[in-house]
Amino acid sequence: MTQATEKLDLEGLTFATLKLNKTGHVFTITLNRPKAKNAINPVMSAELLYALDYAKQERAIRVVILAAEGDVFCAGGDLRSMSGTASTEPASNVPKRGETDDISLRLRHLNKPVIAKIQGPVLAGALLLVCNSTHAYAAEHAHFSAPEIKRGIWPFMVMAGLFRVMNKRQGLDFIMRGERMTALAAAQHGLINQVVPTDQLDDHVAKVANDLASLAPQTMQLGLAAYHEQEDMDFDPALPMLKKKLEQCLKSADAKEGITAFLEKRTPNWD
């Protein structure tokens, strides 16, 4: 993870598997291995970790969008790279900052809104990206599957995020049978927020991202950090912790500006 004294930079780096774009306060990370169905290989893993650490570090970045090129959002882990087959991609000079399983942790501890823009199928380990984002919107033709059981594998790492967004019975059936789930069913079971007509997906995600980016950024980070901290706590000890967070929030510059703007009947100006 990013250290307090560390300063990450994109200058001079060649990303072989991702496209990065910053527009205003929104940072878009686009998976860019369409010929390989955007499967996550070691290069993509390293680049994702670096991009997420950079997004966490940069104060001007308030929202992250995870998108993908091609017809498939992501096919999960790259079985070719797992078998030892060499990558044919252009060289990447992005420093390695962890392993593939660290991607889930980076997403959960980013403490900024992360929107998964799902334009196509999501398979296997790609569910890590969806389950650990704060928001997920899918095109109507997209579908989701955890087919590992059909290959004699169990989606162990997926479970940590999956059962925090889906109920246990639906989640277990999903991974035990390995069958496809439609986008509509995924929305009904809590895996995604909403199904969006394919031709409206870009505009819908852009609007949500801009709405989130217009809100108090430091309060958003404080609130998301508290959300993750209390998630696995017992109710009684969670309350005093959350009370302290509220007191901290009320003393913050964001709260002072928000209250002042409300009283003055103007739009808040977040630093």
Side-chain angles (χ1 to χ4, degrees), residues 127 130-131 136 144 162 165-166 174 181 186-187 189-193:
L127 290 161
V130 176
C131 293
F144 303 78
L162 182 70
V165 294
M166 288 182 70
F174 181 52
M181 180 181 292
H189 299 315
L191 182 57
I192 63 173
N193 292 76

Side-chain angles (χ1 to χ4, degrees), residues 32-61:
N32 188 33
R33 298 187 72 216
K35 291 182 180 179
K37 300 181 180 179
N38 293 314
I40 302 172
N41 65 359
V43 176
M44 180 181 282
S45 174
E47 293 184 353
L48 275 170
L49 290 171
Y50 193 97
L52 291 170
D53 283 347
Y54 176 79
K56 184 179 180 69
Q57 166 198 275
E58 290 299 298
R59 183 182 176 89
I61 294 175

